[in-house]
């Protein structure tokens, strides 16, 4: 069986360095908010090209806390609207509704799967305060257009970078383009911890200060609480492991790009639509997503050929039970994508015989 993603093989590459890092934390006697987190934060900020990085417990908290910080600062208020792509992972929407803000779902461009900037302005109302854009599947969304709309209408921009660590857009890394960005280091992400972890990047000093307090019970000074904060800290163990893996992020991105370019060149079955990449630096191929009308039949066929695939994602957020209030909305492009998308195996540790076996199987599917 060719697995969709072999996490064990990915982490095995750095086995000794990861064990050394874990041993260093065990021996330090200091497990929360210490030297490893501080070092990782400065290394990841440097990598992204931002002034600040704030480690948090996971990617959902990263996004939720950015919006919460703006509420604390009086820049956003309950009931304000946040524009978000309709076909994103549920976490992007949860970050909005958790703060009692209103998600305004906008259709994606069916070619890039990302928020269609030409549809944004018609959704802006007098309550719109922010755009939460998602670099879905690893491809940077149209930040030029998004930033200029945001500046024109005085909106904040949050980048959801959970799938796009290291992607570059016009010379800038994701995480440094909007006002703030949320990253996930869930084990399966391109930069994956060995447990849950996340981070926020920003170059806004005041926002960074508010976030540092919010993630730690709303406290800047021990036992003095200025906000009703949460406990959402990146721990020393995950920070130490992430410091090891950050050193290999760029080489892993290159390995993913090689797999993607093999697929792009050799997948020739006309009933399958390949993903469209606008600029090779702007895609880090977290997922390789094709489209096909008869998806279930292809899934079964590949499974019979020993190839595991996954659908990201089978049900759009507005059709989820959690969002009954959104169930009546019609979003035909998102709904079509949710019916047709299929993610093929892609990872930095795939063997060339696995990639060619997948390609041959797909090319002979009819
Ligand atoms: C994974 C993911 C998140 C959430 O990250 P967690 O660390 O799992 O909380 C948010 N947005 C997108 C687009 C994701 O893929």
């Amino acid at each position: 069986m060719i697995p969709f993603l072999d996490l064990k093989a990915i982490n095995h590459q750095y086995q000794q360095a990861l064990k050394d890092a874990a041993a260093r934390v065990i021996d330090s006697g200091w497990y929360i908010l210490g030297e490893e987190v501080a070092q990782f934060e400065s290394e990841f900020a440097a990598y992204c090209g931002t002034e600040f990085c704030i480690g948090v417990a996971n990617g959902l908290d990263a996004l939720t806390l950015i919006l919460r910080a703006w509420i604390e600062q009086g820049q956003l208020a309950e009931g304000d609207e946040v524009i978000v792509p309709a076909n994103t992972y549920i976490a992007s929407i949860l970050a909005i509704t958790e703060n009692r803000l209103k998600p305004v779902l906008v259709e994606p461009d069916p070619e890039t799967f990302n928020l269609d900037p030409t549809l944004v302005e018609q959704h802006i109302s007098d309550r719109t305060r922010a755009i939460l854009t998602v670099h879905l599947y690893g491809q940077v969304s149209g930040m030029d257009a998004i930033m200029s709309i945001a500046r024109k209408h005085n909106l904040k921009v949050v980048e959801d970078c959970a799938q796009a660590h290291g992607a570059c857009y016009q010379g800038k890394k994701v995480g440094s383009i909007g006002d703030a960005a949320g990253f996930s280091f869930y084990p399966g992400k391109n930069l994956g911890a060995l447990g849950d972890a996340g981070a926020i990047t920003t170059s806004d000093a005041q926002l960074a200060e508010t976030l540092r307090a919010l993630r730690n019970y709303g406290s800047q000074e021990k036992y003095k609480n200025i906000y009703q904060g949460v406990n959402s800290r990146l721990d020393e163990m995950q920070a130490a492991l992430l410091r090891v893996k950050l050193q290999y992020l760029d080489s892993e991105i290159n390995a993913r790009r090689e797999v993607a370019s093999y697929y792009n060149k050799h997948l020739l079955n006309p009933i399958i639509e390949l993903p469209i990449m606008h600029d090779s630096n702007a895609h880090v191929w977290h997922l390789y997503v094709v489209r096909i009308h008869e998806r279930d039949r292809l899934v079964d066929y590949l499974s019979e050929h020993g190839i595991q695939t996954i659908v990201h994602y089978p049900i759009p957020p507005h059709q989820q039970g959690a969002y009954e209030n959104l169930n009546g909305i019609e979003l035909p492009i998102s709904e079509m994508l949710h019916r047709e998308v299929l993610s093929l195996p892609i990872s930095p540790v795939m063997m060339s015989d696995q990639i060619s076996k997948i390609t041959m199987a797909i090319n002979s599917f009819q």
Side-chain angles (χ1 to χ4, degrees):
M1 185 77 175
I2 300 176
F4 180 72
L5 182 67
D6 189 346
L7 279 180
K8 189 172 165 178
I10 290 175
N11 289 322
H12 188 81
Q13 303 173 94
Y14 319 119
Q15 191 185 182
Q16 198 50 54
L18 291 170
K19 286 180 179 168
D20 291 346
R24 192 170 71 228
V25 174
I26 294 167
D27 293 344
S28 74
W30 191 279
Y31 307 112
I32 297 291
L33 294 186
E35 206 43 42
E36 299 289 345
V37 169
Q39 289 294 338
F40 174 73
E41 288 176 339
S42 83
E43 288 159 10
F44 195 63
Y47 178 85
C48 295
T50 58
E51 300 257 346
F52 308 101
C53 168
I54 301 97
V56 294
N58 55 64
L60 171 59
D61 282 3
L63 297 169
T64 306
L65 289 174
I66 292 167
L67 296 170
R68 172 76 193 278
W70 284 328
I71 292 173
E72 294 295 346
Q73 295 180 344
Q75 310 210 43
L76 254 67
E78 188 173 324
D80 282 346
E81 295 174 6
V82 180
I83 286 174
V84 63
N87 61 322
T88 184
Y89 180 55
I90 196 80
S92 322
I93 315 286
L94 288 169
I96 297 168
T97 56
E98 171 66 22
N99 281 295
R100 298 177 184 277
L101 300 165
K102 190 178 160 215
V104 176
L105 305 177
V106 175
E107 291 268 51
D109 173 342
E111 286 200 346
T112 62
F113 307 115
N114 276 329
L115 181 65
D116 184 344
T118 65
L119 301 179
V120 170
E121 262 185 315
Q122 69 199 62
H123 288 90
I124 293 176
S125 78
D126 56 2
R127 291 302 304 267
T128 310
R129 295 287 177 273
I131 301 173
L132 195 167
T133 188
V134 184
H135 307 311
L136 199 69
Y137 306 149
Q139 177 152 239
V140 188
S141 49
M143 292 308 289
D144 241 1
I146 291 168
M147 293 309 291
S148 75
I149 295 166
R151 294 303 166 243
K152 181 170 157 201
H153 296 271
N154 199 21
L155 310 176
K156 297 280 188 195
V157 174
V158 183
E159 293 175 77
D160 182 339
C161 299
Q163 304 190 358
H165 321 68
C168 253
Y169 182 86
Q170 297 174 358
K172 281 183 151 186
K173 288 248 170 70
V174 295
S176 72
I177 308 167
D179 296 291
F183 286 86
S184 166
F185 308 120
Y186 178 79
K189 301 291 160 91
N190 283 16
L191 177 56
L194 280 71
D196 274 313
I200 297 156
T201 54
T202 183
S203 290
D204 177 336
Q206 248 186 318
L207 179 66
E209 194 178 289
T210 305
L211 286 164
R212 281 190 204 288
L214 281 174
R215 74 166 170 189
N216 191 26
Y217 299 112
S219 163
Q220 279 167 333
E221 212 178 300
K222 202 164 189 185
Y223 303 132
K224 198 169 157 202
N225 302 83
I226 49 176
Y227 306 112
Q228 295 171 21
V230 297
N231 175 352
S232 179
R233 301 173 297 218
L234 174 64
D235 63 68
E236 287 284 286
M237 185 63 83
Q238 296 306 332
L241 299 169
L242 283 165
R243 290 181 66 199
V244 172
K245 293 194 69 184
L246 179 57
Q247 299 171 50
Y248 301 100
L249 176 57
D250 286 338
S251 70
E252 294 212 337
I253 290 170
N254 285 336
R256 286 175 180 275
R257 285 184 175 143
E258 278 175 29
V259 180
S261 85
Y262 185 95
Y263 281 151
N264 287 339
K265 202 160 146 200
H266 294 96
L267 287 176
L268 299 167
N269 192 327
I271 60 175
I272 286 152
E273 274 191 62
L274 301 186
I276 290 169
M277 170 183 71
H278 282 308
D279 162 9
S280 63
N281 291 319
H283 207 323
V284 292
W285 299 104
H286 173 57
L287 297 170
Y288 189 94
V289 178
V290 301
R291 280 171 54 196
I292 172 153
H293 291 298
E294 291 182 275
R295 179 174 66 195
D296 293 348
R297 214 161 58 75
L298 180 60
V299 169
D300 292 344
Y301 166 90
L302 290 174
S303 161
E304 281 158 23
H305 285 73
I307 298 160
Q308 188 191 13
T309 54
I310 302 188
V311 173
H312 297 93
Y313 302 89
I315 304 170
H318 71 283
Q319 294 182 334
Q320 296 285 357
Y323 287 114
E324 272 178 18
N325 57 323
L326 302 175
N327 286 175
I329 305 177
E330 280 181 28
L331 293 157
I333 299 173
S334 296
E335 289 159 23
M336 178 264 291
L337 291 177
H338 283 80
R339 278 193 306 272
E340 296 189 354
V341 291
L342 183 66
S343 305
L344 306 183
I346 186 165
S347 93
V349 295
M350 278 176 81
M351 307 291 179
S352 50
D353 62 317
Q354 293 179 315
I355 306 165
S356 60
K357 183 179 164 189
I358 295 166
T359 306
M360 283 190 291
I362 291 176
N363 285 344
S364 53
F365 174 73
Q366 40 191 298

